[in-house]
Amino acid sequence: MTKVQEIPLNQIRRPLPRENDPQKVKALMESIQEIGQQEPIDVLEVEGQYYGFSGCHRYEACQRLGKETILARVRKAPRAVLKMHMA
């Protein structure tokens, strides 16, 4: 089951480091400031912890804008699914 909700940025773990395109982050920052976040990021909720593997540019844009929360599509999953994402 998936639901869209606001998640505190500081509660999302990003276990796989990504190299973001600075121009894309800047463009997203401008867009988010003007019209808000339009597309939620995807996170897994495993045993009460949030893990993000996609939406890296949106995540960084919200962080750099000083946002406390981010719109996220949350999917509850067992630890086995988390392990598959980490492989």
Side-chain angles (χ1 to χ4, degrees), residues 7-44:
I7 302 286
L9 279 168
N10 64 2
Q11 290 185 15
I12 300 173
R13 297 179 182 191
R14 303 211 46 103
L16 302 176
R18 293 277 306 259
E19 190 78 26
N20 290 337
D21 176 345
Q23 294 302 326
K24 187 172 179 181
V25 172
K26 184 178 179 210
L28 280 166
M29 287 173 68
E30 292 169 2
S31 173
I32 290 168
Q33 279 184 310
E34 286 181 30
I35 61 173
Q37 182 187 348
Q38 299 299 297
E39 181 66 28
I41 66 169
D42 293 311
V43 297
L44 288 178

Side-chain angles (χ1 to χ4, degrees), residues 33-70:
Q33 279 184 310
E34 286 181 30
I35 61 173
Q37 182 187 348
Q38 299 299 297
E39 181 66 28
I41 66 169
D42 293 311
V43 297
L44 288 178
E45 182 183 352
V46 178
E47 298 173 359
Q49 296 288 321
Y50 299 110
Y51 296 87
F53 296 95
S54 65
C56 300
H57 290 89
R58 284 168 281 165
Y59 179 86
E60 183 177 336
C62 286
Q63 261 190 328
R64 291 180 57 190
L65 286 169
K67 302 274 186 192
E68 292 188 16
T69 62
I70 190 167

